[in-house]
């Protein structure tokens, strides 16, 4: 990026829409309340305000990078298009039968999530492709034409035929006929959306893509038109779940890749901070208005996966949601944000989330009609927030409204006053996040005690200290711009695309020519998507294979060199990875590769190294405030500092509060905080 380039990052969250403008090494940001009926309204409002702050016209912006939860919310709330699924005869009920796994083994009243597409909207064809791509039963064009008549009235159609990842011929024939007979319908092919084995995951993924495709296409068209009307003619890119950005055309064709786009931006932001501080083990903690996201970052890169779940019906339970088979940054997402609502259940236990007050009406303290207690209400009552300086003073908060709803919905039932109810709500939400982090670390064989936490998002710096106490984490970094971290992350992301394919190979039958052909095709596919947005930028490639021992049911991702395929190298790479994960290798068993992936990405500027801060003495206090500690329940007099008045090396000692426009940082008792040269607040346990 040139010194004069002006770029915008826009993140639509459940409560706030964040807009960041960057020119050279300067950043300006704004937070506006999300407008659910027309999300583009908040974007245009935010862009207008941030351009005024920066003293630039919308026409001067060179690039706009956008992340949104619109696709995710449409899946969770079942607000997508009227969608049909076309599949192979005999496999109509795959997405309803799911797998043989019971995610809650001993629950006799287990209720499985409903299939995204009802049975009456699932249609079959008499055709069959074999696992090696051979045609076992030809597809009759006349049968497809007859089916097209029955599909009239559907806005979107998902096509998922057996083993189409090995041979997409039949799916493409169906698409050709539907384009001819139903020109107004949108069509999604599983061989394009997710060309990977395992029919349940592949069918769900193409169904999800088709389900949100009309909604996202309409939204992106409206956004482009509205931006042009305000004079912003810059190209628009979308953040995808794998941690890169793609062009508008790709985003409209594969909207399922936009699921988790906002959280992915946050992970990229944390990875950039980790690189600047030379940190190899980082726990990324992103807590906004609606959800909290936790991600492990090792060697300056977020951990990735190729399958994740949305709309889980049981918290933390794998298998209770809808599997989406696309490249994604691997993270845990919890319904625990500033707007998450608290209630007392029938067992007289306090529960927080996943329901959220959002921005309409927002927490009770916003005085916009909220009648139930949210996490923000608890934070306000505990003294963590300044009622007169929230969001830079643009949203005055009502302490009395927070106390009233906490007493009415928690305190009266459990015989607590408002302060104690606020303690309880805060402890529940912090323990929920701590449990999620512990589970995620255990699943990945990691000890969080060796990690540094990077906290960002509007609510994370308020809760990071208590979360660190629970997890045994001794160091927290709160970056500059933490309240709009995901939007800044969009500006740090490369243009990238990951192409995947399930193509089976045993190492005992290794063919360098076969592997080279597969990887060459995947490189071209990935490059073509990147070139849509960046025609001339140099590209780098990351290659992965998904390996397992013969007889095993699941694979592990193995990083492979981007060079001539070599059998011995592939085996060594697999065994090293396997031993890291499971403690030993299995001798005497053949190894097989089930899938391959190639990620093409443009180069991004490396993070500047951040030097250790020289001691500049104690920071000048701006005042004091009563602060209640959730763990002990005790009241302390906390020192208040203004972040914008701090210089590198200034030290602060807990208990304390560092205030800024987009968030507030709590410095717990027993921690010291230091301002770093890059604007990070570095909290360390004494």
């Amino acid at each position: 990026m040139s010194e004069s380039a002006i770029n915008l990052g826009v993140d639509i969250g459940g409560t706030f829409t964040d807009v960041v403008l960057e020119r050279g090494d300067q950043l300006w940001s704004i937070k506006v309340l999300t407008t659910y009926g027309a999300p583009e309204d908040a974007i245009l409002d935010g862009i207008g305000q941030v351009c005024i702050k920066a003293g630039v016209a919308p026409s001067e912006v060179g690039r706009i990078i956008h992340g949104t939860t619109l696709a995710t919310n449409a899946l969770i709330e079942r607000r997508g298009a009227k969608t049909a699924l076309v599949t192979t005869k005999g496999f109509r009920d795959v997405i309803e039968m799911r797998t043989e796994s019971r995610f809650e083994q001993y629950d006799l009243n287990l209720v499985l999530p409903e299939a995204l597409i009802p049975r009456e909207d699932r249609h079959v064809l008499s055709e069959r492709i074999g696992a090696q791509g051979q045609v076992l039963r030809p597809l009759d064009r006349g049968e497809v034409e007859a089916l097209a008549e029955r599909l009239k009235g559907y806005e979107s159609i998902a096509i998922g035929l057996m083993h189409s990842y090995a041979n997409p011929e039949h799916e493409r024939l169906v698409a050709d006929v539907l384009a001819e007979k139903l020109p107004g319908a949108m069509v999604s092919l599983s061989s394009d959306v997710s060309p990977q084995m395992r029919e349940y995951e592949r069918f769900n993924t193409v169904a999800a893509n088709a389900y949100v495709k009309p909604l996202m296409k309409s939204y992106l068209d409206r956004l482009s038109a509205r931006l042009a009307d305000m004079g912003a003619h810059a190209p628009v890119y979308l953040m995808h779940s794998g941690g890169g950005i793609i062009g508008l055309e790709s985003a409209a064709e594969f909207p399922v890749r936009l699921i988790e786009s906002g959280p992915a931006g946050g992970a990229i932001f944390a990875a950039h901070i980790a690189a600047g501080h030379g940190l190899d083990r980082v726990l990324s903690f992103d807590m906004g208005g609606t959800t909290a996201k936790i991600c492990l970052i090792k060697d300056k890169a977020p951990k990735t996966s190729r399958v994740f779940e949305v709309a889980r019906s049981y918290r933390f339970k794998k298998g209770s949601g809808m599997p989406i088979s696309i490249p994604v940054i691997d993270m845990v997402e919890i319904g625990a944000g500033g707007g998450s609502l608290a209630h007392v259940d029938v067992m007289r236990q306090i529960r927080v989330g996943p329901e959220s007050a959002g921005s309409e009406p927002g927490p009770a303290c916003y005085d916009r009609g909220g009648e139930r207690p949210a996490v923000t209400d608890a934070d306000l009552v505990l003294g963590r927030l300044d009622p007169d300086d929230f969001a830079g003073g643009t949203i005055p908060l009502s302490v009395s409204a927070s106390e009233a709803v906490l007493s009415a919905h928690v305190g009266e039932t459990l015989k607590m006053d408002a302060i104690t109810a606020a303690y309880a709500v805060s402890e529940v939400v912090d323990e929920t996040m701590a449990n999620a982090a512990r589970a995620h670390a255990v699943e990945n064989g990691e000890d969080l005690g060796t990690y540094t936490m990077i906290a960002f998002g509007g609510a994370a710096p308020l809760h990071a200290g208590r979360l660190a106490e629970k997890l045994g984490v001794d160091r927290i970094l709160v970056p500059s711009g933490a309240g709009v971290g995901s939007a800044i992350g969009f500006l740090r992301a490369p243009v990238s695309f990951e192409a995947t394919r399930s193509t089976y190979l045993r190492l005992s039958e290794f063919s360098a020519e076969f592997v080279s052909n597969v990887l060459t095709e995947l490189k071209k596919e990935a490059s073509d998507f990147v070139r849509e947005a960046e025609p001339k930028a140099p590209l780098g490639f990351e290659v992965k294979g998904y390996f397992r021992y013969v007889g095993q049911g699941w694979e592990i991702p193995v990083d492979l060199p981007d060079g001539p395929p070599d059998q011995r190298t592939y085996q060594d790479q697999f065994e090293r990875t396997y031993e890291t994960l499971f403690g030993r290798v299995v001798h005497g068993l053949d190894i097989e590769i089930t899938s391959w992936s190639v990620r093409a990405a443009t180069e991004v500027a490396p993070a500047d190294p951040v030097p250790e801060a020289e001691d500049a003495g104690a920071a000048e206090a701006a005042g004091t405030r009563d602060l209640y500690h959730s763990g002990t329940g005790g009241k302390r007099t906390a020192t208040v500092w203004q972040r914008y008045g701090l210089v590198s090396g200034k030290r602060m000692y807990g208990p304390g509060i560092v205030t800024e426009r987009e968030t507030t940082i709590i410095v717990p008792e027993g921690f010291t905080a230091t301002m770093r040269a890059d604007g990070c607040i570095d909290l360390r346990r004494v």
Side-chain angles (χ1 to χ4, degrees), residues 133-474:
Q134 71 275 35
V135 177
L136 301 178
R137 179 182 295 169
L139 176 62
D140 178 32
R141 184 184 178 94
E143 184 184 4
V144 182
E145 292 175 346
L147 175 62
E149 290 297 313
R150 302 198 299 275
L151 294 178
K152 288 181 177 178
Y154 287 101
E155 293 178 75
S156 193
I157 301 167
I159 304 172
L161 303 179
M162 284 296 291
H163 300 303
S164 62
Y165 60 87
N167 182 353
E169 175 186 335
H170 287 181
E171 283 196 353
R172 290 175 181 167
L173 175 58
V174 176
D176 290 342
V177 173
L178 294 182
E180 179 184 324
K181 300 292 184 181
L182 303 173
M186 294 187 177
V187 176
S188 299
L189 306 186
S190 74
S191 53
D192 290 338
V193 175
S194 179
Q196 302 180 68
M197 66 179 195
R198 297 197 173 92
E199 311 311 319
Y200 170 49
E201 288 83 356
R202 183 161 57 86
F203 290 0
N204 256 313
T205 305
V206 72
N209 194 79
Y211 188 72
V212 301
K213 195 171 184 177
L215 174 73
M216 292 303 300
K217 178 70 165 60
S218 172
Y219 166 69
L220 294 174
D221 287 346
R222 294 197 315 270
L223 177 62
S224 297
R226 294 282 302 277
L227 286 169
D229 289 343
M230 77 177 301
H233 297 285
V236 179
Y237 302 92
L238 275 294
M239 187 78 189
H240 63 70
S241 57
I245 56 177
I246 53 176
L248 268 182
E249 289 186 15
S250 297
E253 185 65 24
F254 301 110
V256 73
R257 291 210 176 205
L258 304 182
I259 296 172
E260 300 295 292
S261 66
I268 294 298
F269 176 61
H272 184 81
I273 298 297
H277 287 262
L279 300 172
D280 291 327
R281 293 172 178 267
V282 162
L283 177 68
S284 168
F285 171 42
D286 175 5
M287 185 178 180
T290 304
T291 58
K293 284 76 66 175
I294 291 167
C295 176
L296 299 179
I297 296 173
K298 292 189 69 175
D299 300 323
K300 291 90 175 176
K303 187 177 183 297
T304 59
S305 176
R306 61 187 179 125
V307 179
F308 72 107
E309 291 183 347
V310 296
R312 283 182 176 172
S313 56
Y314 282 56
R315 183 177 288 177
F316 308 146
K317 292 291 184 181
K318 285 188 176 180
S320 68
M322 182 191 312
I324 303 294
S325 181
I326 57 171
V328 62
I329 289 178
D330 188 17
M331 65 182 72
V332 176
E333 187 165 354
I334 315 119
S340 294
L341 296 171
H343 68 279
V344 180
D345 66 14
V346 294
M347 300 295 290
R348 296 175 59 82
Q349 293 179 321
I350 296 173
R351 303 293 183 188
V352 180
E355 188 181 0
S356 174
S359 62
E360 300 171 3
C365 57
Y366 284 18
D367 260 349
R368 296 171 179 264
E371 298 178 348
R372 294 167 59 190
V375 173
T376 298
D377 292 306
D379 288 335
L380 179 62
V381 170
L382 294 175
R384 296 171 179 166
L385 297 172
D386 184 343
D388 300 319
D389 195 30
F390 183 73
T394 60
I395 304 177
L397 303 181
S398 170
V399 178
S400 60
S402 294
E403 290 176 339
V405 293
L406 283 163
S407 295
H409 291 272
V410 179
E412 290 180 9
T413 303
L414 301 178
K415 310 302 181 188
M416 299 174 173
D417 59 20
I419 291 288
T420 308
Y423 287 146
V425 169
S426 183
E427 272 296 280
V428 167
V429 75
D430 289 343
E431 188 60 33
T432 297
M433 293 186 293
N435 278 336
R438 293 184 193 109
H440 192 49
V442 168
E443 288 171 358
N444 289 278
E446 297 295 334
D447 174 14
L448 291 180
T450 65
Y451 275 64
T452 296
M453 181 186 296
I454 295 180
F456 56 95
L462 290 162
H463 292 260
R466 181 62 178 144
L467 189 61
E469 290 175 341
K470 288 176 174 289
L471 296 174
V473 171
D474 294 329

Side-chain angles (χ1 to χ4, degrees), residues 25 68 248 373 412 455 499 579:
D25 58 358
T68 175
L248 268 182
E412 290 180 9
E579 187 170 17

Side-chain angles (χ1 to χ4, degrees), residues 506-527:
R506 287 196 180 192
L507 282 191
S508 60
E509 301 168 355
F510 188 84
S511 166
E513 181 182 4
F514 173 84
V515 174
S516 182
N517 289 339
V518 170
L519 297 181
T520 298
E521 291 174 9
L522 289 175
K523 280 186 178 181
K524 182 181 185 307
E525 180 183 342
S527 299

